[in-house]
Every structure is written in structure tokens, then in C-alpha cells.
Amino acid sequence: MSENQLMDWSALGFEYHPTDWNARCTSRNGVWGEVEWTQSEYMTMHISAGCLHYGLEIFEGLKAFRGVDGKIRLFRADENARRMISSAERLCLAAPSVEQFVDICAEVVRRNLRFVPPYESGASLYLRPLLIGTNPFLGVKPALESTFIVFASPVGPYFKGGIAPIDVVIDRGQDRAAPRGTGDVKVGGNYASSMLSGYQAHRSGYSNVLYLDAVERKYIEEFGAANFFAVRGNTYITPASGSVLPSVTNKSLRRLATDMGMTVEERRIPVEELSEFDEAAACGTAAVVAPIGKVIDLQTNKIYDFGNKVGPYSLKLFNTLQDIQYGRTEDPYGWTTVVEV
Ligand SMILES: *Cc1c(COP(=O)(O)O)cnc(C)c1O
């Protein structure tokens, strides 16, 4: 089958879809072995592996885009590699080097070329690198063996009908991450912390939970899987906090905002300040920018309403970043790597 007939690209959401090949590589006592390429979607591991009982698991998420010129580009894979290294340090796992990480990601794309969606679809190939502690033990201690896995799955655009506002809730009943905890590294455990509040929000018809700081519940932190930013006048404002995950998308948007002539502020944001913002949005690899329509504070019943519209700054930032990812404009920052095929 030709790649365009392979599947209904327009029907893709954000679900796991099998591809041809995935990579695994294991470090024992700090020494990495050879990369193993497999078509199996399964792995066997010891029932006492540290990832299964002590949460020794970290992951990344990045995308490969088929551009308007037919070239396939990885977006800032080196940033994901560096973040994986910092996550691994926090969990005492051996991490792949930046070069190993980027090379394996590029090769996963090459070996699954027929799953890289066509340009017109607005879809992309999502890469999921993960690192898990795999040797058996019971007494709590760092893992001596860590296994690095990279697989791919084609995913649809977050907004099928074009960028549109989402409604979110503030839930003061549950926290995502504590100061000096693991909020600033990409560990599966953070998703365990936010699972119930996120599920309850979804069940009530909301897209996401906006978490507040765990000490005073006074300052905005981030969403379960996306950073927060707001626009007031010509200023891009995003939380400064030791328990927010450093989003590659947010970092990129801050740079674009600066270069568009906006002022960028990274500071504490009291939740009441929401009423003073012109625009608010979630940002991350999945959606790039998801504008907020309403924020509903579940415990105080206060509603912050940004209107059922996409603000001009959010839209411009979204378009500028996607133009770089899809090769529609020059990439003056060197953020994209063309995957040679
Ligand atoms: C992955 C993640 C993000 C988004 O990061 P990007 O690098 O922009 O994809 C934001 N918040 C949390 C908690 C995350 O795990």
C-alpha cells in the first residue's frame, strides 16, 4: 500500500496506533548496550523491576512533521534529550546521551516512514521515548539497569476543526506537584498524582485542570500535561515555579514572543490576576497552543471568562510555531532537524 492509502489520516486522534519498528537499549551498571530494533509491541521484564513498583519511569514526547516541501522535521529533539537527562538524574536512572537520544529518535522516524502523515492532513508522527528501571530488587534503591525505549504513533492535530478555545477548572482539592518534589521533571508519577482530578474534570465536561501551587493554593502553576501562559496588552506572562515542568513549547513561544516585540515575564501569577488578562492558554507538544475560553474555580465558583474566541496573540504564536514545524517559513533558530531519508 502507498503511504497515503495506509490509513484515514483525518480520523487520527491522540491514541496509540501501531507502527513497524521500535527501539530498545539497556544500560547495565552505567554501560549502554547495542540498540535493539524490533517489530514487537511487547517486552518481558522481571516482576520485581523497579519501574513496576517504585515508579522508576520517565518519558518524553516530541513530534516529526512532514513539511510543505516533503521533508520530515524533528522539532527540538535535543531539548527533549536534555530534559530526559535531568529527569533521569532525579530518579537515579542512567540516561542516554543527547546524541544517542536524537539519533535513535531520527532512526525510529526513518524506520516508520510510511506512518509519517502527509502534510495536508495536519497530523504528525508522535515519538514516545521512555526510560525505566528494569533490574529486579525489593529494598528501595537506585536501579542498576535502565532500559530506554522509543516508539512512534501517528497522531491527529489536537484541534480538528482549527484552533478553538477550551474550558478548564481549578481544583483546590488535589495537587499535581509539591515544591522540591518531582513537578519539574517528566516522571510518570506526576501523571499518577493528577489522574483523578483530571478524570473528574473530563467527566464534568472540562478539557483540563489548572493546578495551583501546593503551599498556598494562591499562584497558578500549570495544567496536568501542559504549561500555562497569559497575554496582557503586549506582555507574555508565564509562571515561574520550581514545580512546573519546563515545557519545550513554552520555551519556544517565549522566544517567538520576544522576537515579535512582546515583553516576556516569568513570575508568580496570583490566581485572581486571571481577571486582568486579555488571553490565556495551555501550551505543549500535543496542541502547541490551546486557548482558554473559561476557567471555572470549582471551590469558589468564580468564573474567569475569556470569551468564545481565539485571541490574536495566541493565534499568531500558534501559527508562527507551526510554520516552523511544517517548514512553511525559515527556521532562524535551528530548532528543526531534517531527518535524512
Ligand atoms: C510534557 C509536559 C508539558 C509540555 O511540555 P512540552 O515540552 O511543551 O511538550 C507540560 N507540562 C507537563 C506536566 C508535562 O508533562
mmCIF file of all heavy atoms in Angstrom, residues 59-61 80 83 176 183 185-186 190-191 222-227 244-250 283-286, ligand 1:
data_model
loop_
_atom_site.group_PDB
_atom_site.id
_atom_site.type_symbol
_atom_site.label_atom_id
_atom_site.label_comp_id
_atom_site.label_asym_id
_atom_site.label_seq_id
_atom_site.Cartn_x
_atom_site.Cartn_y
_atom_site.Cartn_z
ATOM 1 N N PHE A 59 9.570 9.874 30.915
ATOM 2 C CA PHE A 59 9.269 9.796 29.479
ATOM 3 C C PHE A 59 9.424 11.156 28.819
ATOM 4 O O PHE A 59 9.644 12.177 29.478
ATOM 5 C CB PHE A 59 7.869 9.214 29.246
ATOM 6 C CG PHE A 59 6.731 10.094 29.698
ATOM 7 C CD1 PHE A 59 6.053 10.895 28.783
ATOM 8 C CD2 PHE A 59 6.333 10.128 31.021
ATOM 9 C CE1 PHE A 59 4.997 11.699 29.184
ATOM 10 C CE2 PHE A 59 5.278 10.933 31.434
ATOM 11 C CZ PHE A 59 4.614 11.724 30.519
ATOM 12 N N GLU A 60 9.313 11.145 27.498
ATOM 13 C CA GLU A 60 9.343 12.363 26.696
ATOM 14 C C GLU A 60 8.264 12.269 25.634
ATOM 15 O O GLU A 60 7.696 11.192 25.397
ATOM 16 C CB GLU A 60 10.726 12.558 26.049
ATOM 17 C CG GLU A 60 11.750 13.184 26.982
ATOM 18 C CD GLU A 60 11.323 14.562 27.468
ATOM 19 O OE1 GLU A 60 10.646 15.290 26.709
ATOM 20 O OE2 GLU A 60 11.623 14.918 28.621
ATOM 21 N N GLY A 61 7.982 13.373 24.992
ATOM 22 C CA GLY A 61 7.027 13.393 23.894
ATOM 23 C C GLY A 61 7.462 14.452 22.910
ATOM 24 O O GLY A 61 7.719 15.592 23.299
ATOM 25 N N ASN A 80 14.408 17.799 24.299
ATOM 26 C CA ASN A 80 13.785 16.660 24.972
ATOM 27 C C ASN A 80 14.854 15.752 25.581
ATOM 28 O O ASN A 80 14.669 15.216 26.677
ATOM 29 C CB ASN A 80 12.917 15.867 23.995
ATOM 30 C CG ASN A 80 11.729 16.680 23.506
ATOM 31 O OD1 ASN A 80 11.821 17.363 22.494
ATOM 32 N ND2 ASN A 80 10.636 16.645 24.242
ATOM 33 N N ARG A 83 16.110 17.289 28.725
ATOM 34 C CA ARG A 83 15.119 17.162 29.796
ATOM 35 C C ARG A 83 15.086 15.729 30.322
ATOM 36 O O ARG A 83 14.932 15.504 31.526
ATOM 37 C CB ARG A 83 13.742 17.605 29.293
ATOM 38 C CG ARG A 83 12.748 17.808 30.411
ATOM 39 C CD ARG A 83 11.499 18.509 29.924
ATOM 40 N NE ARG A 83 10.789 17.735 28.925
ATOM 41 C CZ ARG A 83 9.776 18.213 28.180
ATOM 42 N NH1 ARG A 83 9.382 19.457 28.334
ATOM 43 N NH2 ARG A 83 9.171 17.453 27.304
ATOM 44 N N ARG A 176 -0.948 18.662 41.966
ATOM 45 C CA ARG A 176 -0.180 17.866 40.998
ATOM 46 C C ARG A 176 1.246 17.613 41.491
ATOM 47 O O ARG A 176 1.770 16.521 41.368
ATOM 48 C CB ARG A 176 -0.127 18.598 39.646
ATOM 49 C CG ARG A 176 0.478 17.808 38.511
ATOM 50 C CD ARG A 176 0.834 18.708 37.324
ATOM 51 N NE ARG A 176 2.104 19.382 37.557
ATOM 52 C CZ ARG A 176 3.288 18.936 37.153
ATOM 53 N NH1 ARG A 176 3.357 17.841 36.441
ATOM 54 N NH2 ARG A 176 4.392 19.599 37.424
ATOM 55 N N GLY A 183 7.772 17.818 40.244
ATOM 56 C CA GLY A 183 6.977 18.529 39.249
ATOM 57 C C GLY A 183 7.772 19.055 38.064
ATOM 58 O O GLY A 183 7.236 19.210 36.972
ATOM 59 N N VAL A 185 10.322 17.610 36.600
ATOM 60 C CA VAL A 185 10.891 16.567 35.741
ATOM 61 C C VAL A 185 9.744 15.713 35.200
ATOM 62 O O VAL A 185 8.661 15.655 35.796
ATOM 63 C CB VAL A 185 11.937 15.702 36.496
ATOM 64 C CG1 VAL A 185 13.214 16.504 36.723
ATOM 65 C CG2 VAL A 185 11.381 15.173 37.814
ATOM 66 N N LYS A 186 9.988 15.084 34.054
ATOM 67 C CA LYS A 186 8.883 14.412 33.361
ATOM 68 C C LYS A 186 8.792 12.946 33.802
ATOM 69 O O LYS A 186 9.201 12.041 33.075
ATOM 70 C CB LYS A 186 9.065 14.543 31.850
ATOM 71 C CG LYS A 186 7.727 14.523 31.102
ATOM 72 C CD LYS A 186 7.884 14.997 29.673
ATOM 73 C CE LYS A 186 6.598 14.876 28.887
ATOM 74 N NZ LYS A 186 5.632 15.949 29.162
ATOM 75 N N ASN A 190 4.039 12.051 38.200
ATOM 76 C CA ASN A 190 3.271 13.303 38.177
ATOM 77 C C ASN A 190 1.893 13.078 37.552
ATOM 78 O O ASN A 190 0.912 13.732 37.921
ATOM 79 C CB ASN A 190 3.999 14.377 37.369
ATOM 80 C CG ASN A 190 5.309 14.809 38.013
ATOM 81 O OD1 ASN A 190 5.491 14.647 39.214
ATOM 82 N ND2 ASN A 190 6.207 15.332 37.205
ATOM 83 N N TYR A 191 1.850 12.165 36.605
ATOM 84 C CA TYR A 191 0.579 11.859 35.948
ATOM 85 C C TYR A 191 -0.303 11.017 36.854
ATOM 86 O O TYR A 191 -1.525 11.118 36.813
ATOM 87 C CB TYR A 191 0.839 11.201 34.590
ATOM 88 C CG TYR A 191 1.302 12.230 33.572
ATOM 89 C CD1 TYR A 191 2.563 12.808 33.651
ATOM 90 C CD2 TYR A 191 0.446 12.660 32.558
ATOM 91 C CE1 TYR A 191 2.981 13.772 32.763
ATOM 92 C CE2 TYR A 191 0.859 13.625 31.653
ATOM 93 C CZ TYR A 191 2.127 14.185 31.760
ATOM 94 O OH TYR A 191 2.526 15.152 30.866
ATOM 95 N N GLU A 222 0.393 25.042 36.484
ATOM 96 C CA GLU A 222 0.233 24.586 35.097
ATOM 97 C C GLU A 222 -0.903 23.569 35.022
ATOM 98 O O GLU A 222 -1.551 23.274 36.020
ATOM 99 C CB GLU A 222 1.528 23.981 34.564
ATOM 100 C CG GLU A 222 1.959 22.710 35.269
ATOM 101 C CD GLU A 222 3.101 21.980 34.547
ATOM 102 O OE1 GLU A 222 3.111 21.954 33.303
ATOM 103 O OE2 GLU A 222 3.957 21.439 35.237
ATOM 104 N N PHE A 223 -1.126 23.044 33.846
ATOM 105 C CA PHE A 223 -2.134 22.011 33.627
ATOM 106 C C PHE A 223 -1.495 20.639 33.854
ATOM 107 O O PHE A 223 -0.276 20.537 34.050
ATOM 108 C CB PHE A 223 -2.683 22.117 32.196
ATOM 109 C CG PHE A 223 -3.329 23.445 31.925
ATOM 110 C CD1 PHE A 223 -2.610 24.485 31.356
ATOM 111 C CD2 PHE A 223 -4.660 23.665 32.269
ATOM 112 C CE1 PHE A 223 -3.193 25.720 31.124
ATOM 113 C CE2 PHE A 223 -5.250 24.897 32.036
ATOM 114 C CZ PHE A 223 -4.517 25.923 31.466
ATOM 115 N N GLY A 224 -2.300 19.597 33.789
ATOM 116 C CA GLY A 224 -1.781 18.252 34.026
ATOM 117 C C GLY A 224 -0.681 17.862 33.048
ATOM 118 O O GLY A 224 0.248 17.146 33.402
ATOM 119 N N ALA A 225 -0.794 18.318 31.805
ATOM 120 C CA ALA A 225 0.186 17.931 30.783
ATOM 121 C C ALA A 225 0.555 19.103 29.878
ATOM 122 O O ALA A 225 1.008 18.900 28.755
ATOM 123 C CB ALA A 225 -0.366 16.781 29.946
ATOM 124 N N ALA A 226 0.348 20.319 30.355
ATOM 125 C CA ALA A 226 0.661 21.498 29.526
ATOM 126 C C ALA A 226 0.972 22.681 30.427
ATOM 127 O O ALA A 226 0.446 22.776 31.544
ATOM 128 C CB ALA A 226 -0.520 21.829 28.615
ATOM 129 N N ASN A 227 1.816 23.567 29.974
ATOM 130 C CA ASN A 227 2.130 24.803 30.702
ATOM 131 C C ASN A 227 1.018 25.829 30.502
ATOM 132 O O ASN A 227 0.135 25.664 29.655
ATOM 133 C CB ASN A 227 3.454 25.401 30.209
ATOM 134 C CG ASN A 227 4.690 24.828 30.899
ATOM 135 O OD1 ASN A 227 5.795 25.311 30.699
ATOM 136 N ND2 ASN A 227 4.524 23.789 31.710
ATOM 137 N N VAL A 244 6.961 23.450 38.183
ATOM 138 C CA VAL A 244 6.341 23.404 36.858
ATOM 139 C C VAL A 244 7.319 22.707 35.902
ATOM 140 O O VAL A 244 8.521 22.914 35.962
ATOM 141 C CB VAL A 244 6.010 24.838 36.361
ATOM 142 C CG1 VAL A 244 5.759 24.868 34.868
ATOM 143 C CG2 VAL A 244 4.800 25.389 37.109
ATOM 144 N N LEU A 245 6.779 21.864 35.044
ATOM 145 C CA LEU A 245 7.618 21.149 34.071
ATOM 146 C C LEU A 245 8.094 22.133 32.999
ATOM 147 O O LEU A 245 7.267 22.833 32.402
ATOM 148 C CB LEU A 245 6.767 20.024 33.442
ATOM 149 C CG LEU A 245 7.403 18.891 32.638
ATOM 150 C CD1 LEU A 245 7.656 19.277 31.199
ATOM 151 C CD2 LEU A 245 8.655 18.318 33.273
ATOM 152 N N PRO A 246 9.398 22.217 32.769
ATOM 153 C CA PRO A 246 9.888 23.147 31.741
ATOM 154 C C PRO A 246 9.508 22.681 30.325
ATOM 155 O O PRO A 246 10.175 21.840 29.745
ATOM 156 C CB PRO A 246 11.399 23.176 31.951
ATOM 157 C CG PRO A 246 11.720 21.992 32.778
ATOM 158 C CD PRO A 246 10.491 21.532 33.480
ATOM 159 N N SER A 247 8.439 23.242 29.812
ATOM 160 C CA SER A 247 7.895 22.857 28.501
ATOM 161 C C SER A 247 8.751 23.410 27.371
ATOM 162 O O SER A 247 9.105 24.597 27.363
ATOM 163 C CB SER A 247 6.462 23.400 28.394
ATOM 164 O OG SER A 247 6.109 23.682 27.061
ATOM 165 N N VAL A 248 9.066 22.551 26.411
ATOM 166 C CA VAL A 248 9.834 22.983 25.230
ATOM 167 C C VAL A 248 8.980 23.949 24.405
ATOM 168 O O VAL A 248 9.485 24.928 23.843
ATOM 169 C CB VAL A 248 10.259 21.757 24.386
ATOM 170 C CG1 VAL A 248 10.993 22.198 23.125
ATOM 171 C CG2 VAL A 248 11.130 20.804 25.202
ATOM 172 N N THR A 249 7.687 23.696 24.366
ATOM 173 C CA THR A 249 6.782 24.586 23.626
ATOM 174 C C THR A 249 6.764 25.976 24.246
ATOM 175 O O THR A 249 6.891 26.986 23.537
ATOM 176 C CB THR A 249 5.346 24.005 23.621
ATOM 177 O OG1 THR A 249 5.413 22.624 23.276
ATOM 178 C CG2 THR A 249 4.452 24.748 22.642
ATOM 179 N N ASN A 250 6.623 26.027 25.572
ATOM 180 C CA ASN A 250 6.608 27.312 26.272
ATOM 181 C C ASN A 250 7.916 28.069 26.046
ATOM 182 O O ASN A 250 7.913 29.274 25.739
ATOM 183 C CB ASN A 250 6.358 27.074 27.769
ATOM 184 C CG ASN A 250 6.024 28.348 28.533
ATOM 185 O OD1 ASN A 250 6.008 29.449 27.975
ATOM 186 N ND2 ASN A 250 5.760 28.211 29.813
ATOM 187 N N CYS A 283 -0.126 25.350 26.767
ATOM 188 C CA CYS A 283 0.813 25.079 25.667
ATOM 189 C C CYS A 283 1.613 23.821 25.936
ATOM 190 O O CYS A 283 1.990 23.529 27.065
ATOM 191 C CB CYS A 283 1.719 26.283 25.407
ATOM 192 S SG CYS A 283 2.820 26.715 26.763
ATOM 193 N N GLY A 284 1.824 23.061 24.871
ATOM 194 C CA GLY A 284 2.581 21.817 24.949
ATOM 195 C C GLY A 284 2.673 21.189 23.568
ATOM 196 O O GLY A 284 2.044 21.681 22.622
ATOM 197 N N THR A 285 3.443 20.123 23.465
ATOM 198 C CA THR A 285 3.662 19.477 22.166
ATOM 199 C C THR A 285 2.357 19.045 21.493
ATOM 200 O O THR A 285 2.198 19.192 20.280
ATOM 201 C CB THR A 285 4.587 18.251 22.352
ATOM 202 O OG1 THR A 285 5.855 18.732 22.800
ATOM 203 C CG2 THR A 285 4.771 17.464 21.070
ATOM 204 N N ALA A 286 1.420 18.514 22.281
ATOM 205 C CA ALA A 286 0.193 17.962 21.698
ATOM 206 C C ALA A 286 -0.617 19.009 20.943
ATOM 207 O O ALA A 286 -1.000 18.805 19.792
ATOM 208 C CB ALA A 286 -0.661 17.310 22.778
HETATM 209 C C1 LIG B 1 5.248 17.253 28.844
HETATM 210 C C2 LIG B 1 4.599 18.247 29.727
HETATM 211 C C3 LIG B 1 4.339 19.568 29.311
HETATM 212 C C4 LIG B 1 4.592 20.047 27.907
HETATM 213 O O1 LIG B 1 5.924 20.077 27.556
HETATM 214 P P1 LIG B 1 6.342 20.219 26.018
HETATM 215 O O2 LIG B 1 7.802 20.009 26.051
HETATM 216 O O3 LIG B 1 5.955 21.566 25.574
HETATM 217 O O4 LIG B 1 5.598 19.156 25.287
HETATM 218 C C5 LIG B 1 3.820 20.451 30.238
HETATM 219 N N1 LIG B 1 3.505 20.070 31.495
HETATM 220 C C6 LIG B 1 3.713 18.796 31.919
HETATM 221 C C7 LIG B 1 3.349 18.434 33.314
HETATM 222 C C8 LIG B 1 4.267 17.843 31.056
HETATM 223 O O5 LIG B 1 4.462 16.602 31.498
#
